[in-house]
Amino acid sequence: MICRAVAKRDRNFFLKLIGNAATQSHLRQTHAQIILNGLQSDLATVTKLIQKLSDLGAISDATLIGSTFPNPDIFLYNVIIREFSCNNSHSNSLSIYRQLRQNTALKPDSFTYAFVISAASKLLCSKLGSSIHGHAIVGGAGSDLFVASTIVNMYLNFGKVGYAYKVFDQIPEPDTVLCNTMISGSVDNGCLDESISIFKDMILRRTRFDSTTFSSVLKAAAELQELKLGMAIECLSIKLGFHSHLHVLTGLISLYGKCRDISTAKHLFHQIKHPDIIAYNAMISAFSCNQEMEYAINLFKELSSSQHKVNSSTLVGLIPVSHPFPHSTLTTTIHSFCIKHNFLSQTSVSTALITVYTRLNEINSARKLFDESKHKSLAEWNAMISGYAQNGVTDKAISLFKEMQNLKIPPNPTTITTTLSACAQIGALTLGKWVHDLANKYNFISNIYVSTALIDMYAKCGSIKEARQVFDKMQDKNTVTWNAMISGYGLHGHAHEALNIFNKMLDSKVPITRVTFVNILYSCSHGGLVKEGENIFQTMGSGSGSGMGITHGFDPLPEHYACMVDLYGRAGDLQKAYDFIKKMPIEPGPAVWGALLSGCKTHKNMDLAKLASDKLFELDPENVGYHVLLSNIYTADKNFDEAASIRKSVKNRNLGKTPGCTLIEIDKIPHVFTSGQQFHEQIDGIYRMLEKLMGKMKEVGFCTDTVTALHDVEEEEKELMVNVHSEKLAIAFGVMNLEMGEEIRIIKNLRVCLDCHNFTKFVSKITERVIVVRDANRFHHFKDGECSCGDYW
């Protein structure tokens, strides 16, 4: 037998062999040949082998070879760190990085930092990620575009939008990749206006666009439902040759679908010869948004029978979140499908179902889904907090937000906005200020939705000055922001300030909405500005009977007509209010007749009160409030028989009157009082304090107003009945528990009665305190025996 010597192979041979290898087995054989040919210490060959092993999923083999290599360079370390991360072994990537820093003299480069920051981001290691960011800055790679993109992406992934913007703003010439990262990340974190601003800056800097740029910014335009903006983006995409790109077309389908132009969305979908799963999902969602559920379900069936597999986004688009009420059965059917096919583990699906259940007022079903989610996403927390707030379960909304903070889960602007809304509902100023501090901590104040929510919260919690301070500091304001400030002034009876803001809004060319007119007319009504209210109503549009040159093109809705009737009714011009109703081009509803009836009570017009109440009992027979109002009108007119007859009718029909209750917050703890309450840890002291206050008040001329009390009881008993109204108990509790001179703030669920209004004026005088009362209609600020409403409420 003749033995022939096999010629040794060089590095290039093995590099080519490694590149062509298709299986792990091929690579292991190649590795054996590398050792036989003495190249096991050749850096380039081993690096290529490790990279290929990782690509084929043999991460353990790659790690073993890398750990035994005698003198690895930074490139080899980068390969190993990256390949661990690509194989979802992110913690191992971080371990290799620690070994690099602790056991070698090698200096990490920009690729090292980028790969390891990406690993920290995917592990959601916020503190570690920030630490490595610091390493990158010290190592001189902090301003590198590649590193900056991964850092920005990491902070956006953590929900730390403010930190992401700080990094982004320090880069003088951000490239396309970095800008795309900021746009898509901002959209994912609910910072939609900010993402549009970045896109506009790209145009000004002449930064190159790609299809990702357009698809990302179109998401923002779609979520904002800004059709004109979306169409402008579409024109630019046509000009630059990106319009036919699949992802851009898909983004346009979403835009037109969410902006209610379903025909254009369908046209665009049919332009795609071979739609992928993302395009199908966009079209299904577009149908769902436009209540065309039959088309959505048919397309879902078509997708299910195609080569594409239904995914979580398909189901999120199919769930009727936008219009849930006609589709309760469909929702439960989709829920069952999700359980059967294990889609509930996808947080986007769980979030959509939580949202639709809360909108269906099935709050328990939503909470059950939330509690069963093992790895709750921020979106799920937001959906549940928002669901509680929208259903009026504000205590649970705030409690859930506190739990989120205790678990160290960082909020995003949506979380803050929703929680501020809950604080506004219950007038929890202390809690609202705490949330404001958190918004500052996370750099969310520049977010227009957060700042607008702060204005609304401060206004509804009685601090109109702080609401105005937030308003004045905002650089960018949208229509909702201006509306919130006008509404806030209206609530506090500051009609002239509301008019001032309204005129500034007009001068600033900010789009006016029907809500704007409701807010300003409400403000004029509560401030007694009849002429100004008339002039504003006349500028609405053709339906308002305008004889003036400038109109805004809005036909008034029932709520605008109700504001005008209230405007005349409060001012005592009841005949003009009635004449206005008779001339209305639409059939007057309960709100309009209710406004007239309220004016009749204030100005004691029995004839019109009877007419208005007859209409109300016909239109809204189950509303006990109108019966109570008419009963009080008869009582004030000393027509006790009619008052008793109405009360008997209410009793016979089992119409339940909403019980009066008042909330006061002491040391961040809310206390709720009801009329005649007997159970409270300080109840004996409260009644002693109330008796003490009444004694001092009578010395300076206070007399209990017993007009609306029952006529068939003794006068002394009438006094006792009105003296235990819930706001009186709350004020007495506040006097007992707040420091001398400290402001007392209470919230009443019903309109404050005349006696309690007078009582509060006297208490503010004898205790030398400011007392702020929010009732069902507005705010009253009591000081030195006077009320800000001027007894006009």
Side-chain angles (χ1 to χ4, degrees):
M1 185 176 181
I2 300 172
C3 293
R4 294 195 179 106
V6 179
K8 283 201 169 187
R9 305 292 188 179
D10 61 9
R11 173 197 292 172
N12 291 335
F13 172 81
F14 285 108
L15 290 177
K16 185 176 181 180
L17 198 62
I18 293 168
N20 292 331
T23 65
Q24 294 181 20
S25 176
H26 288 163
L27 286 174
R28 291 190 183 102
Q29 292 176 42
T30 303
H31 184 206
Q33 290 299 319
I34 288 170
I35 295 171
L36 288 174
N37 282 269
L39 292 172
Q40 67 270 26
S41 297
D42 182 77
L43 185 60
T45 304
V46 172
T47 301
K48 183 71 173 178
L49 177 64
I50 290 173
Q51 196 169 16
K52 190 68 174 181
L53 281 166
S54 299
D55 290 344
L56 294 178
I59 191 68
S60 57
D61 290 354
T63 306
L64 181 61
I65 295 169
S67 64
T68 57
F69 192 81
N71 295 303
D73 65 354
I74 192 63
F75 183 76
L76 180 56
Y77 268 105
N78 288 347
V79 168
I80 296 172
I81 291 170
R82 179 182 177 278
E83 297 307 328
F84 267 130
S85 189
C86 288
N87 283 273
N88 293 319
S89 298
H90 308 300
S91 57
N92 286 330
S93 290
L94 297 170
S95 297
I96 298 297
Y97 174 71
R98 290 193 190 95
Q99 291 176 27
L100 167 64
R101 289 180 58 86
Q102 295 173 3
N103 302 332
T104 76
L106 295 172
K107 183 180 178 182
D109 62 13
S110 58
F111 291 99
T112 317
Y113 292 120
F115 296 152
V116 77
I117 287 169
S118 177
S121 175
K122 289 169 183 173
L123 280 174
L124 297 178
C125 296
S126 176
K127 289 184 178 179
L128 182 57
S130 298
S131 178
I132 299 170
H133 178 193
H135 294 171
I137 294 171
V138 173
S143 58
D144 181 272
L145 280 174
F146 184 42
V147 176
S149 290
T150 56
I151 292 170
V152 164
N153 186 65
M154 174 188 71
Y155 284 127
L156 291 169
N157 197 33
F158 294 155
K160 295 187 174 183
V161 181
Y163 290 143
Y165 273 88
K166 280 186 177 180
V167 175
F168 180 77
D169 291 340
Q170 289 172 2
I171 306 298
E173 294 294 333
D175 64 359
T176 306
V177 174
L178 180 53
C179 289
N180 289 350
T181 301
M182 278 304 302
I183 292 172
S184 61
S186 296
V187 173
D188 291 341
N189 281 278
C191 303
L192 305 174
D193 289 301
E194 289 83 347
S195 66
I196 301 293
S197 296
I198 295 166
F199 179 73
K200 290 178 179 178
D201 289 341
M202 288 180 74
I203 296 174
L204 295 174
R205 285 196 303 264
R206 298 182 180 276
T207 307
R208 186 180 63 85
F209 298 106
D210 61 16
S211 59
T212 302
T213 315
F214 284 106
S215 61
S216 298
V217 76
L218 282 169
K219 286 182 183 177
E223 289 299 321
L224 289 167
Q225 296 183 17
E226 290 280 359
L227 183 57
K228 288 184 179 179
L229 173 65
M231 292 173 74
I233 296 169
E234 182 181 14
C235 290
L236 186 58
S237 73
I238 293 170
K239 182 179 178 180
L240 297 178
F242 289 105
H243 186 266
S244 60
H245 194 283
L246 177 60
H247 291 166
V248 177
L249 282 172
T250 301
L252 288 167
I253 290 168
S254 294
L255 169 75
Y256 284 105
K258 291 189 176 179
C259 292
R260 304 293 184 263
D261 188 351
I262 192 65
S263 60
T264 303
K266 285 194 285 188
H267 173 71
L268 289 166
F269 182 72
H270 291 313
Q271 285 185 22
I272 304 173
K273 291 182 180 179
H274 303 289
D276 63 2
I277 182 69
I278 301 172
Y280 267 107
N281 293 347
M283 196 64 239
I284 289 170
S285 179
F287 281 132
S288 179
C289 283
N290 288 274
Q291 289 187 279
E292 297 194 12
M293 292 310 301
E294 186 177 346
Y295 286 105
I297 293 167
N298 288 338
L299 197 60
F300 175 79
K301 291 177 180 177
E302 179 184 318
L303 175 62
S304 301
S305 60
S306 72
Q307 61 185 15
H308 302 297
K309 286 186 176 180
V310 170
N311 62 17
S312 58
S313 296
T314 317
L315 291 160
V316 170
L318 186 64
I319 295 169
V321 173
S322 302
H323 304 279
F325 291 107
H327 305 297
S328 177
T329 304
L330 175 62
T331 298
T332 54
T333 302
I334 296 171
H335 188 177
S336 300
F337 180 90
C338 293
I339 294 171
K340 181 179 179 180
H341 296 279
N342 197 31
F343 276 109
L344 284 185
S345 58
Q346 301 290 323
T347 57
S348 59
V349 175
S350 177
T351 302
L353 285 169
I354 289 169
T355 303
V356 77
Y357 276 129
T358 57
R359 291 182 181 178
L360 287 165
N361 299 322
E362 295 183 21
I363 200 75
N364 292 332
S365 298
R367 185 57 193 256
K368 186 173 184 292
L369 260 172
F370 178 80
D371 290 338
E372 288 173 353
S373 178
K374 293 180 181 178
H375 304 287
K376 296 177 180 65
S377 66
L378 180 57
E380 287 174 291
W381 285 92
N382 288 347
M384 198 63 244
I385 292 170
S386 175
Y388 276 134
Q390 289 170 4
N391 282 275
V393 195
T394 48
D395 55 335
K396 290 190 177 181
I398 293 170
S399 175
L400 201 60
F401 178 75
K402 288 180 177 179
E403 181 183 337
M404 189 177 164
Q405 290 300 297
N406 291 335
L407 293 172
K408 309 296 183 186
I409 300 171
N412 67 4
T414 302
T415 325
I416 297 295
T417 301
T418 304
T419 308
L420 285 170
S421 173
C423 294
Q425 286 184 46
I426 62 170
L429 181 63
T430 306
L431 283 169
K433 287 184 173 181
W434 171 60
V435 179
H436 188 175
D437 290 339
L438 287 173
N440 277 317
K441 176 183 175 182
Y442 289 102
N443 296 303
F444 293 153
I445 295 299
S446 61
N447 182 284
I448 195 169
Y449 301 105
V450 170
S451 293
T452 301
L454 281 168
I455 292 169
D456 185 61
M457 182 275 294
Y458 278 121
K460 288 179 178 175
C461 289
S463 295
I464 193 66
K465 288 183 179 178
E466 288 181 273
R468 183 59 189 263
Q469 286 170 5
V470 175
F471 180 84
D472 289 340
K473 288 178 182 177
M474 291 178 67
Q475 293 182 349
D476 298 313
K477 304 178 182 74
N478 62 13
T479 301
V480 180
T481 310
W482 289 88
N483 287 349
M485 197 66 245
I486 294 170
S487 173
Y489 276 132
L491 275 174
H492 289 265
H494 300 329
H496 290 288
E497 288 86 344
L499 272 176
N500 183 38
I501 293 292
F502 177 71
N503 290 327
K504 284 184 177 180
M505 186 178 181
L506 293 175
D507 294 340
S508 302
K509 309 297 183 185
V510 178
I512 303 293
T513 66
R514 286 183 170 88
V515 174
T516 313
F517 281 104
V518 170
N519 290 339
I520 191 61
L521 290 172
Y522 173 94
S523 301
C524 291
S525 172
H526 283 262
L529 305 183
V530 177
K531 195 66 181 174
E532 292 85 346
E534 285 181 326
N535 291 338
I536 289 168
F537 183 74
Q538 287 174 356
T539 67
M540 279 193 69
S542 58
S544 56
S546 172
M548 304 175 68
I550 301 173
T551 62
H552 293 278
F554 294 120
D555 287 330
L557 298 174
E559 49 264 40
H560 299 109
Y561 290 112
C563 283
M564 289 303 295
V565 174
D566 191 58
L567 178 77
Y568 294 131
R570 286 178 187 275
D573 202 341
L574 294 170
Q575 188 58 49
K576 193 169 186 178
Y578 181 53
D579 291 341
F580 179 87
I581 294 173
K582 289 191 291 185
K583 293 177 183 177
M584 282 174 55
I586 62 174
E587 192 68 27
V592 171
W593 291 113
L596 181 63
L597 183 61
S598 180
C600 291
K601 176 182 181 295
T602 303
H603 299 285
K604 301 179 175 59
N605 186 318
M606 286 306 307
D607 293 334
L608 283 179
K610 186 70 173 65
L611 187 151
S613 60
D614 286 344
K615 292 286 186 180
L616 285 166
F617 297 160
E618 177 186 331
L619 292 169
D620 193 5
E622 301 303 311
N623 192 322
V624 69
Y626 301 134
H627 293 79
V628 172
L629 189 55
L630 184 62
S631 172
N632 289 341
I633 292 172
Y634 278 127
T635 301
D637 196 47
K638 300 189 184 306
N639 191 340
F640 300 120
D641 291 338
E642 287 290 344
S645 176
I646 291 171
R647 289 199 303 273
K648 184 177 180 181
S649 172
V650 168
K651 186 176 181 181
N652 291 340
R653 295 172 60 193
N654 292 319
L655 296 179
K657 180 186 175 184
T658 303
C661 63
T662 302
L663 179 145
I664 182 170
E665 188 182 3
I666 306 287
D667 295 329
K668 300 182 182 180
I669 300 172
H671 298 263
V672 178
F673 292 91
T674 55
S675 294
Q677 184 166 323
Q678 297 296 323
F679 300 100
H680 188 277
E681 57 187 9
Q682 297 184 37
I683 196 63
D684 292 338
I686 290 170
Y687 278 108
R688 284 196 298 271
M689 173 58 70
L690 189 57
E691 189 176 346
K692 180 179 177 182
L693 290 171
M694 293 296 294
K696 288 184 177 180
M697 287 160 55
K698 286 182 178 180
E699 290 176 6
V700 293
F702 174 75
C703 294
T704 301
D705 188 325
T706 60
V707 169
T708 57
L710 297 178
H711 72 279
D712 50 357
V713 295
E714 295 296 328
E715 192 67 25
E716 185 177 347
E717 191 174 345
K718 287 184 184 181
E719 284 198 25
L720 289 174
M721 289 169 66
V722 295
N723 283 348
V724 292
H725 281 184
S726 61
E727 52 264 62
K728 291 177 180 175
L729 299 178
I731 289 171
F733 181 68
V735 172
M736 290 168 56
N737 290 278
L738 293 171
E739 295 293 330
M740 182 64 69
E742 193 173 348
E743 190 174 86
I744 297 174
R745 293 170 177 269
I746 65 172
I747 297 175
K748 174 80 182 285
N749 67 326
L750 304 176
R751 183 179 182 272
V752 64
C753 72
L754 179 62
D755 181 67
C756 287
H757 193 268
N758 290 334
F759 168 87
T760 311
K761 286 199 293 186
F762 273 89
V763 172
S764 73
K765 186 175 183 65
I766 65 172
T767 62
E768 298 181 347
R769 290 179 184 257
V770 172
I771 303 175
V772 180
V773 178
R774 180 177 122 187
D775 71 3
N777 289 341
R778 57 168 294 160
F779 272 94
H780 303 261
H781 296 258
F782 298 89
K783 184 179 180 180
D784 296 330
E786 301 292 333
C787 179
S788 60
C789 75
D791 297 337
Y792 189 88
W793 87 102

